[in-house]
Structures are given as C-alpha cells and as structure tokens.
Amino acid sequence: VTLACIAATAALVIPLVLTEHAVGQEPLLLLLALLGLGMAAGPVQPINAELAVDVTYPGDETAVESVQQIGGNLISALLVPVAEYAASQDYQILPQSPELASDIRGDVVLLTVLAGLTLLVFSFFDAPLRRTLAEGGGGEVNGEGSGDDTFSTTMGISKKKELVSKE
C-alpha cells in the first residue's frame, strides 16, 4: 500500500505546475490533482508508524513513533532551504513544440525526486514483522524464527523471548 501511495504522490505533484499552461487551464485538473495528492500522501505516515512499531517490537511504541516524528520534522526543516532554492529554478519541457511546451519548477522536481527515492528505499525494505509474528503465533520473536537477531543486539536485550504457540 505504501509503495502505491508514494508512486501516486510522485505522479500527482506534477499536474500542480501545469496550471499556467494550455494543459492546466482547467481548474478541475488542479482540484483533482490536489484531491488525489491528499488521498495518496495522507495515509503514508500512519501506515508507516504502525510498520515501525511492528518491526521494532517489543520496543516502546511511543518512543518509536516519537523518533519517527522528530526525524521527519528534522529532515523537513533541513530541506526548507533546498526547496527554497529549487523553487527559484525553472526547467523547460518540450520547448520545440509550441502546443506541448511547458516548464516545471525546481521545487516540483525536488518533491518528485524525493518521492522516487522514498519509493526506491521502501521497495527494498524487508524486515521481519515482529509484532505480527508474536500476536499471530507465527513463531518466535526477536528474530529467532527468521534468523535475524539485529533488534535484540541493537536494543541491548540479552534475554530472548519465545512465544508459545496457541493451540
């Protein structure tokens, strides 16, 4: 679901800059792009907050979500000057064809590149869902069932917890 939302977000950012040109003279295009952007980008944070909690189980849910929120805010704050500079840039698209000629601002390019990088990172994400395994009786927690013990060593947990299957 996350991959589809991020891909839709990357695609729906682009129509927002077309409103000054022949293709985007229609206010309906802008309205639909904004509506679609909200529907695509909106669910990403809550879904991935749950994913982070699931992957770091039995870690504290509040701590995990707080770190995720603070990290996101920090990255956003660091990107403000980059986005400000990018907004002053303007790239021509198909200048040879008067009917299709358009331009795209650098901030839209930046947002599209960031969404693409995020899509790339999430497409290779493959961590065991520890909480799901523990609650579903799918084996043992702390990676024993999957051969991955990085959580227990990272968090300093020396005693491994085993889950007894419900019968």
Side-chain angles (χ1 to χ4, degrees):
V1 172
T2 298
L3 293 176
C5 287
I6 294 170
T9 299
L12 289 168
V13 167
I14 295 171
L16 297 179
V17 295
L18 299 177
T19 57
E20 299 175 6
H21 303 286
V23 176
Q25 292 297 323
E26 200 59 43
L28 184 61
L29 175 66
L30 178 63
L31 182 64
L32 290 176
L34 287 172
L35 182 64
L37 191 58
M39 289 174 28
V44 172
Q45 196 276 336
I47 290 171
N48 289 302
E50 284 301 313
L51 178 64
V53 168
D54 205 342
V55 169
T56 58
Y57 179 83
D60 181 35
E61 292 181 24
T62 305
V64 170
E65 290 181 6
S66 296
V67 167
Q68 184 183 32
Q69 190 68 40
I70 291 170
N73 290 344
L74 176 64
I75 290 171
S76 295
L78 293 173
L79 283 174
V80 167
V82 177
E84 185 178 355
Y85 172 76
S88 66
Q89 304 301 310
D90 198 38
Y91 301 100
Q92 298 300 315
I93 300 173
L94 302 171
Q96 310 87 319
S97 174
E99 301 85 32
L100 299 175
S102 184
D103 66 335
I104 188 167
R105 290 189 326 259
D107 55 347
V108 174
V109 173
L110 176 67
L111 288 173
T112 305
V113 167
L114 287 173
L117 289 172
T118 305
L119 186 65
L120 184 68
V121 168
F122 271 92
S123 66
F124 291 108
F125 181 79
D126 188 26
L129 304 177
R130 299 175 193 281
R131 185 176 63 180
T132 302
L133 289 172
E135 290 176 356
E140 301 162 352
V141 296
N142 288 337
E144 285 187 1
S146 64
D148 179 16
D149 199 24
T150 56
F151 176 78
S152 60
T153 56
T154 303
M155 297 302 290
I157 299 172
S158 59
K159 181 181 175 187
K160 296 181 181 180
K161 298 178 182 179
E162 294 185 9
L163 179 71
V164 178
S165 299
K166 297 178 181 177
E167 295 181 27

